[in-house]
Every structure is written in structure tokens, then in C-alpha cells.
Amino acid sequence: MARILVNNSGPLHGEVDISGAKNSVLPLLAATLMTEDICEIEDVPDLADVSVMKKILRKYGAEIDDSEQGIIRARTPKIISCEGDRDLVTEMRASLFTMGPMLARHGKIIMPMPGGCTIGKRPIDLHLKGFRALGAKVEEDIENETVTVETGPDGLQGDVIYLDFPSVGATENILMAATLAKGTTIIENAAKEPEIIDLANLLNKMGARIKSAGTDMIRIEGVGSLSGCIHQAIPDRIETGTFMLAAAITRGEVLIKNALPGHVRPIIAKLKECNVDIDIYPEGIYVDARGKELVATDIKTLPFPGFPTDIQSPFMAFLTTVKGKSVVRETVFENRFMHVVELNRMGADIQTENREAIVPGGRKLHGAKVRATDLRAGAAMVLAGLVATGTTEISEIYHIERGYEDFVGKFKALGADIMKIDD
Ligand code: EPZ
């Protein structure tokens, strides 16, 4: 089993280039199913999840040229299958993002129900609510654990859809399906994440008519068809936050290049509350925590523009090292404290109660054998390992490789004493 070994590394220093956003590239790739023309997506990170999405698209009939580093050219002349692959869906929940495009293009999709995962049961009721509102028939086969969604003879019809929770995936799926529906669709209480805007920009380049993506009410006027385009994905705001925290936890200084400050405002605000110096330059975000007496702060995760749930665990690792007690509240997922047990193995002494964690702070962490319990928790364990005494050995690192491009290489370039061991 591959592992990552991290030794106490002292303050990091240098520059890091942020890759294209995983959580943008995955829906962007799914959207290419909706046209016979070539779509060229640029700044695609080299990630396990991107490889899975390519497999899924090819299964539906997509022809994919990924011969050029960082660029994917995809075209789907015709749909050859409308059955999602159970193994691939289990491997990656984001395969759900192909439901909207398949409904819009092909009129039918048979999708295995995605298993929950370590961070919660993660239902798809809001996705299905949206498809029903657009006139599709939804049949859930509990015994075979599949859901079949099929349009009527007249295809999809626009309607008003209220999302009980501003779900990112549901907003993206409904947005894509609505682009080819007849008439106008309004998504109310829509997710406002930057990845939604990036997807709407791609779809509008393809000929869709989407207004006010990025607000809580998105208006889509259906069109007859979509064509190809060239689109550069936005930089990864969660990778950006992760490396901001790497500078802060090691009391170092790092210039995070290609980062968009507007996508990480809560992280900038919270690190400043902890007494970290942060400056914005044309090249990127400069984080300087050298020689600073850092203090505690509380965080509460919320949908965008609130504090991002994906940065909760890396930020918690950082809070174990600052002076004073912090309270961390997780409001987006019902089970996203799996990393607490792992941090406590290193001496963090964190207590949890339901969706609240009390981080005493001021700890001298010590190396231990720990697990990556999800993608972001894995990053949190690397951050903790950088400042723990001795060696920290992290297993189940496939989680990390799903969503961080060249994670070990980027940390090494900043002076971290880190290596990957392939058994
Ligand atoms: C996206 O997941 C991201 N994944 C997640 O990033 C991120 O944590 C999440 O948004 C929240 O920001 C991708 O974009 C590929 P949601 P998604 O639908 O779309 C509940 C990472 O580490 N819900 O906004 O699955 C759900 O159970 C990953 O990169 C319903 O109840 O998130 C959860 O509690 C982890 N019914 C909450 O909403 C539904 O139909 C947020 O889920 C859908 C969701």
C-alpha cells in the first residue's frame, strides 16, 4: 500500500503554482457530452478523478484526445450507452454530473445509486427533484440500487426549481439539463460556488443562454443545440487554501501563484484573524507567518461564499498549533470529522460533539501512523506531519491523489521533508 512519509520540516518558503480546479474540470468534462463538436478544456490537472471521468465519458461514446499535457479535447458524435458503470460511480461520486448532460443529449440515463462515503450519506434527492421538475420520469429501483431518469416524448420542459439546500452537484446537473430544455428554467437557492460560474461560462460559450450564475437565482433559456468551444478551467481554490495553510502551520512564507483571491476570501479573513500576514500581488497570494505569535479563531463551514467545508480539516490541523482554544463547526456534511481521530494520534487532543469540534490549540504534535480518511483530511495529515516531531506515516493516500496534482512534488519544492513510498 503506497504511503507518504513526512518529517518535521521547519518553515516552508518559496513559490507554488496552483493547478486547474478538480471540482470545476469534472462538470466541465461532463458537459462535453452535450455536443457532437470538439470541446477543448485547458488547465486540466493530472488527477485520478480526471482519469475516472475520462473512462466514464468514453463508455457513453466520447472520443477523447488527452495527448497534450493539461489539455483534453473531447467530442461525442453519438451516445453508445446510457448506463452508468457501478464501479466507476462507486469510485467517484462526481460521475453523477453526467446525468444532466445525458438527459439533455440522449433523453435517458440509468445510474447506479452512488454509495455514501466517509463524509456522509450524500443523497441525490435534489438532483432528482430538478429532473422531475424538467418533466423527466424518475424510477428508483431500490433492489438493484439504480435510478433511471428518462424524458417524455417532448423532451425536457423548463420550470422553476427550488433547491432545499444550495447543493453544488444538483445545481450543476440541473443547469446542464436545462440548457437544452424547451422554455425557461429558474433555479432558486442555487449554489454560488465559483465552479458554477465556470460551468455556466463554458455552457454559454457552447451556445447556452444562462444568466446570473453565481447568484442564488440562475435563469436558463433553453436552446436547440450546443456546439464546441475552447475553455480554460479556473484555478483550484481548495488547493490554494491548502498551501496557504502550509505556509501558516510551518510559520513560513509562500507565494501562491495563479490563485484568485476572490475565491478564497473566507480563508484570507480567518488566517488574518490568526495574525498571519497575507498580501495580494498580481502574481498571486503571498502568505507570511514567519516569527509570528499566531492565535486561535473559530470557523463554521457554509456554502459559498461562506467558509468552505473542503478546507475545514486542513484548517483544523493548523488550529492545533496556534495559541488558544478554537471551535470548528461543520454544517455542510454530517460526518466530516473523521480526521479528528487521526490528529489526536499525533497529540492534538480534540474533542467532538455532533458537528462541533473543540481544538485546544498550543499543541506540540508528534509523528504517528495515520490514515487519509478523505481527500482533504489527507492533506490535513500532511500539514500536521510538517510540524510534528519525528516522522508521520500517512496511508490510504489514493484519496489525496484523487484531487491534488503532484502534491508531494509541490511540497518538496517548498522545502518540505516529504516522500511517497510505493510498496
Ligand atoms: C461538491 O460535492 C464537491 N465535489 C465537494 O468536494 C464539496 O465538499 C461539496 O460540493 C460542497 O462544497 C465536487 O464538486 C466534485 P453538495 P457535492 O451537493 O456536489 C446534501 C472535495 O473534497 N445533498 O453541495 O456532492 C449533501 O448530503 C469534495 O473536493 C442533499 O441532501 O456537494 C451534503 O450534506 C468533497 N441532497 C450537502 O448537501 C442532494 O441531492 C452538500 O452537498 C445533494 C446534496
Side-chain angles (χ1 to χ4, degrees), residues 20-60:
K22 165 182 87 82
N23 291 350
S24 194
V25 161
L26 295 174
L28 295 177
L29 288 170
T32 65
L33 285 167
M34 294 196 285
T35 176
E36 299 171 5
D37 296 348
I38 293 181
C39 294
E40 179 174 307
I41 312 290
E42 298 171 349
D43 279 6
V44 177
D46 177 15
L47 301 173
D49 272 9
V50 170
S51 304
V52 172
M53 184 55 88
K54 287 188 282 189
K55 276 186 215 164
I56 291 169
L57 298 185
R58 285 184 169 120
K59 191 174 179 311
Y60 289 140

Side-chain angles (χ1 to χ4, degrees), residues 49 88-97 114-117 120-125 127 167 169-170 333 402:
D49 272 9
L88 292 176
V89 171
T90 310
E91 194 175 346
M92 185 182 73
R93 175 184 169 86
S95 41
L96 283 174
F97 297 161
C117 61
K121 60 182 185 307
R122 299 177 81 182
I124 64 168
D125 56 309
H127 299 244
S167 155
F333 289 103
R402 288 186 48 192

